[in-house]
Amino acid sequence: MATQYFTATSLDGFLATEDDSLEWLFALADIGESSYPAFIAAVGALAMGSSTYEWMLRNADAVIKEVGSPWPYTQPAWVFTTRELPRIEGADIRFVQGDVRPVHEAMRAAAGEQNLWIVGGGELAAQFHDAGLLDEMIVQVGSATLGKGKPLFPRRVTSPTLELTSVHQMGKGMVELRYTVGAEPPDRGAP
Ligand SMILES: NC(=O)c1ccc[n+]([C@@H]2O[C@H](COP(=O)([O-])OP(=O)(O)OC[C@H]3O[C@@H](n4cnc5c(N)ncnc54)[C@H](OP(=O)(O)O)[C@@H]3O)[C@@H](O)[C@H]2O)c1
């Protein structure tokens, strides 16, 4: 069981534009060609921040067209927010706030042997990392820059660094990078 931050980012490290648009992303690659189908099959619970959830609310018609229902996940989900947000009918969701650790415990209990997906955004994923609970980052880097927007991971991670474990090119529009979190710094040999 691993806790994984799986997301797409622009080359310059933004998940979305300043006004939370993901339009830049959709032209870049077909999700079916990515590792997403295998990844999601191994996910037992997921967590997201409020803007990610509100994107689903705003784009319900597009989500229905894609997957046949306004909520694309069958796994139990935790949505972090300090506000009262509308529910999506048929979605297995709990609204939570504050410390990520008890939520992680509840997610583990629900997921059994399966993985936990931190959907994003970056600040929420970073809170799991701050608590020592993030095992892997799986980042699909799009061949586009945004200049500014919502950050991939608003923390400094330098010691230990992340450990790159795989690279997978998806045509000209994307590359998927997998990192293990919390690994020792790479051995560069004697100075
Ligand atoms: N490119 C991609 O694949 C991808 C994936 C995921 C997300 N995104 C985008 O990333 C952007 C940011 O996403 P996000 O807002 O969902 O996540 P976020 O930036 O990590 O979190 C921000 C919001 O989530 C809530 N939140 C986070 N931690 C909390 C805590 N411990 N307790 C209570 N509330 C907490 C707060 O909502 P309230 O203000 O409601 O209290 C906060 O304003 C969005 O534009 C989203 O669409 C893109």
Side-chain angles (χ1 to χ4, degrees), residues 41-137:
V43 167
L46 53 99
M48 66 180 67
S50 62
S51 306
T52 307
Y53 179 72
E54 286 179 301
W55 188 93
M56 303 276 183
L57 291 172
R58 279 199 309 282
N59 292 276
D61 290 347
V63 179
I64 290 169
K65 207 168 152 195
E66 188 79 18
V67 297
S69 88
W71 181 249
Y73 309 117
T74 53
Q75 300 88 341
W78 280 256
V79 176
F80 280 83
T81 184
T82 55
R83 294 172 292 141
E84 193 149 321
L85 297 176
R87 288 196 159 270
I88 295 177
E89 209 185 312
D92 184 1
I93 296 170
R94 303 112 189 94
F95 293 106
V96 289
Q97 58 179 285
D99 193 344
V100 298
R101 289 170 297 184
V103 175
H104 188 263
E105 274 300 317
M107 291 173 73
R108 280 186 61 154
E113 295 298 303
Q114 291 207 289
N115 295 326
L116 309 186
W117 179 19
I118 312 306
V119 184
E123 172 54 34
L124 183 64
Q127 290 173 41
F128 281 89
H129 182 266
D130 294 343
L133 295 172
L134 201 60
D135 300 310
E136 255 194 300
M137 289 175 63

